Structures are given as C-alpha cells and as structure tokens.
Amino acid sequence: MPRFAEFFSGIGLVREAIEPLGWECVFANDIARDKARMYIDRFGGDHLTVDDINNLALNDLPEDLDLLTASFPCIDLSLAGNRKGLAGEHSGTVWPFLDLTAEMVTERTPPKALLLENVTGLVTSHGGRDLEEVCTRIGELGYLIDLVAVDAKWFTPQSRPRLFVVALRRDLVDLPLPPTDEVTRLRTAAIRSFQASHRDIPCFENNLPEPPSVSANRLIHILERVPDDDASWWPDSQVKSLRDAMHDRHALRVAELLLGKRDGVATMFRRVRHGRTVGEVRGDNIAGCLRTANGGSSVQFLVDCRSGEPRIRPLTGREYARLQGAGKFPITVGRRQAQNGFGDAVCVPAVHWLVEHAFGFLTDARAKTEPVLTRFANDRLEPVAAGS
C-alpha cells in the first residue's frame, strides 16, 4: 500500500479523501491545536505532529513516502492578506515544506508524487512570479508538473475553485504530453497563459477525464433540521433591519425565494458597504466558498423563506461538513470551531477524484473503490422541511 504524508493537514480532509483509494497516511502535521482536536476525533493521533512546519527536520518524517500533500495557507494570496503572496508569513510556509521535500529527494528515496493545493489566485500572484518560483523549485527536484483547477461545485453544492500543483517524478512518466493551448474547465485561461509564458518550467499534461459538470445535490439537500425556537435563528427585528439595508439586487433575490424559486433557500454573507452592514444573497442553488469563521464577513448564513417569511441563521458545523463532502465526519466541537475546521479544508470528493485519476497508477485503487460519482452520491440527502 503506498504511503503518504499530509502537511498543513488541518482536520484531515485530504486523508479523508484519499485513504479509500488505497493510500496509507503515515505522517500528518499542522500547527493549529483546535484543528488537531478534530483530526484526532476522526483518525486518532498516532501519526499527527502538532507543531510549526519550520520546526520539522527530515528525521521527524518516516521513510519510504510515496506522496507528499500540502494544502498550505492561502491568506497571503487573498485580499485578507493584502496580497503579500509567498513572501507572507502564512502562505510562505510552502518554502519549509519544499525544503523538507528537497532533503528527502537528496538523502532518501524521492517521493513519487507531490500534490499542492491553494486558491486559484496563486496563478497570478505577483504577476505569476510566486507560482513560477514554486514550480521551478519542484522541477529542479526532478518532477514534471501539471497545473489543474478543480471546483467543489462539480461535486458538492459549494462554489470553491482551487488550484492543484500535481507533480510526478520524471522517471514515472514515459512520454510526457506537453501542455496545449486549449482552455478547459481544468486548465483555465489563467493557467494556459502562465504555461505559455513559462516554457522553461517542466510542465506536462496528465491524461485526466472530463470532470463532473455539476453536483447532484443542491443547497437544500445539505440542510439540517433546526427547530424554530433554536437560538441560532435571528430575531425578526434583526432580519428586518438587514433586509431593509439590502441593495435592490439582493432584496430581489429574497423576494424570489419567497415565491419558491431556488427551493426557497440561499446562503448569504454579511458585508460592510459604504459604512453599513448589508446582506449579500447568492442567486443560485449552491453555497458560497466556505471560509474560516474568523471575522464577521467570513461566516456564511442561511436565508430560509420556505415558511413564507424570511428567516436567517448561520450554517451549522454539520452543514459545513456536508458542503465539503464530509457529511459523516464526527463533530464533537462547537459550531464556531467546526466552521473554522471545515472552512479551512479541502473538498473531499474533489481531491478524491483528482488523486484517483492523476495518481491512480500508483495503486490498485480503481479496482477497490466505487467511482467517485457513485460513492459520494450515496451521501445525498433528502430536502428537509422548514423548521422542525
């Protein structure tokens, strides 16, 4: 059974995604103790090291690793981090990960594959220089690189596009296909532009199948039954105040929900616009991109109009889990901590699909597991009625 190490492991959703494919997790690392508690609740703590990656040395890692995964922090690649990029304190932790990888390549048997994950903004961060430095470093270590964008909405009712740097050891690729100019859902215009302007990077194109077009689930399918008298529902006066402050476009979306459109439910973020707090409601059947619950604009709320009146509450931890394709993950922590854990994680079926098809030849997983669409469709839930 091939062995992997999961860096920036969070609550362990990469492990959740790929262990069913026949991979064995033998090492995991994250700095956050609150996420480690959730990880241990699910997997135990035998292989988990809770520490700053800067403190890790090669001797801390087991030998004979086939795959290294790294879902390194995205904050410095987003507006929240003022676009500091990979020079930032958080996203810059990719460098000690690559340093450890380099030591492994030179002093041990090089891992067969690497999988890095981050926001799609990495493609254009600092004019592409950040991604160029990462890919150049990986290429120098003896790997061929494929750049792939995968969106959670193809698998679950959540908009969550992510960039994956898929790297395979050169000796494992007999006839590497060079990148084409064709723009697809997996290789976006930004990716093609980056590849075209960085011909010196050893890029190749994995023979990936067409991904699913859309999730079989809609937002309504992941909702929990929350009683009408639950304290999480906003008071009527708070709902009215926020609704009165809405921009006309978002007020119209609420009116459409009251007419039964989009199943009568939608998600909403609170934003500060022109000095006042407003609600911004999605106009489709899926949730927005989940984030950690740090900061008022990061929490995602449900707008439920199925009773004939708009009601608002935060999404529950279980709903966050379902949106990440991890509906059966044990949750023994409070809502806020669960939101942080799942909001800062990967979409399980998206990673499952990519690893199955990009690295499937490294394991006999294809003969062991159901296809990803069948497996995760089995978690599909029936729509719940409003209230209790």
Side-chain angles (χ1 to χ4, degrees), residues 280-349:
E280 297 185 348
V281 181
R282 285 192 68 91
D284 52 22
N285 283 311
I286 65 176
C289 183
L290 297 181
R291 305 166 189 170
T292 58
N294 298 320
S297 65
S298 297
V299 178
Q300 202 156 172
F301 295 86
L302 174 71
V303 180
D304 189 341
C305 295
R306 289 174 293 172
S307 67
E309 294 291 335
R311 299 182 304 153
I312 298 175
R313 63 165 173 83
L315 292 180
T316 68
R318 178 58 61 196
E319 289 164 348
Y320 267 56
R322 290 171 177 171
L323 288 170
Q324 292 284 45
K328 297 177 182 178
F329 197 99
I331 300 177
T332 61
V333 298
R335 173 173 57 83
R336 191 81 170 184
Q337 188 171 333
Q339 288 175 331
N340 282 336
F342 288 106
D344 202 22
V346 298
C347 176
V348 170

Side-chain angles (χ1 to χ4, degrees), residues 7 11 15 33 35 55 58 87-88 104 225 318 352 374:
F7 292 86
I11 64 174
R15 181 174 182 175
R33 295 193 175 276
K35 294 176 186 174
N55 297 332
L58 182 61
M104 208 172 300
R225 286 184 169 87
R318 178 58 61 196
H352 180 103
T374 302

